[in-house]
Amino acid sequence: MQLFLSKNLVQAFRLPLWGQAADETPPQWLVSRIMLGELEMNSLGGLTYATPFGVQSCAAGDIVVFYADNSIGFEKPETFERDFSPVEEISLAA
């Protein structure tokens, strides 16, 4: 069996901890999903998201990930730091 590594370009936003301000302004994709009711605030200070595969939830301090296929995911900070690396430079093909 051959193995493949997928490299996806994503956007991410770290939810603030209880009583703290966010490190950055929430992105439009996140704000619009909350306003449309696709994402809801939960009792953990995080978000809840209903998917075709069930309900996903995250807590305050977790990372909300926006994928290129317009889907949303949640990651714990330690998992996000292990599995994702920041893009330093984007080269555009002519």
Side-chain angles (χ1 to χ4, degrees), residues 29-61:
W29 55 263
L30 180 58
V31 173
S32 65
R33 297 269 177 121
I34 292 170
M35 291 177 65
L36 291 172
E38 292 179 38
L39 293 169
E40 297 178 355
M41 297 297 294
N42 61 35
S43 61
L44 302 173
L47 298 170
T48 299
Y49 181 48
T51 72
F53 309 106
V55 176
Q56 294 183 10
S57 294
C58 70

Side-chain angles (χ1 to χ4, degrees), residues 60-74:
D62 287 349
I63 311 292
V64 183
V65 181
F66 181 67
Y67 294 96
D69 67 355
N70 203 31
S71 65
I72 299 283
F74 303 126

